[in-house]
Amino acid sequence: GEEPLQALVREVAEETGLRVTHAELLFDEEVMGNHCGYGIDTHHWRLYRVVVEGELNPDPREARDMDWHNLSGKQFEEVWEYWFKKLSLL
């Protein structure tokens, strides 16, 4: 029942311990071919550029492997490769 921006702020806080101070919507679209455990192949994505405050303090129940990574030479799920290329990160 939340608005997308409210969910973004809450989820970032829950999963990382960081506070969102600014958010800019970059993309709002449906992406096909992103199969999940519920049997759904199309998902609606909203990608934001955010500014955050605080110290990174991931909740282990919410985030498995939160860290900074070099994207060069890595293998990604198809949907992440799609977004990284769209963002000109790959």
Side-chain angles (χ1 to χ4, degrees), residues 10-19 52 55-70 74:
R10 180 183 51 75
E11 286 289 337
V12 168
E14 285 177 7
E15 295 183 16
T16 69
L18 299 171
R19 290 177 309 283
V52 295
E55 295 293 322
L56 185 61
N57 185 20
D59 181 337
R61 296 169 299 173
E62 296 281 345
R64 283 179 272 147
D65 183 25
M66 191 172 297
D67 203 352
W68 296 105
H69 295 275
N70 180 345
K74 294 240 183 208

Side-chain angles (χ1 to χ4, degrees), residues 1-49:
E2 297 174 290
E3 292 296 317
L5 189 55
Q6 292 172 310
L8 167 76
V9 170
R10 180 183 51 75
E11 286 289 337
V12 168
E14 285 177 7
E15 295 183 16
T16 69
L18 299 171
R19 290 177 309 283
V20 174
T21 60
H22 176 77
E24 172 190 357
L25 180 63
L26 300 177
F27 298 104
D28 183 355
E29 64 183 79
E30 296 220 351
V31 179
M32 297 184 335
N34 178 217
H35 186 77
C36 73
Y38 295 106
I40 300 168
D41 290 322
T42 302
H43 292 84
H44 193 111
W45 287 75
R46 288 183 180 92
L47 266 65
Y48 292 85
R49 175 181 293 129

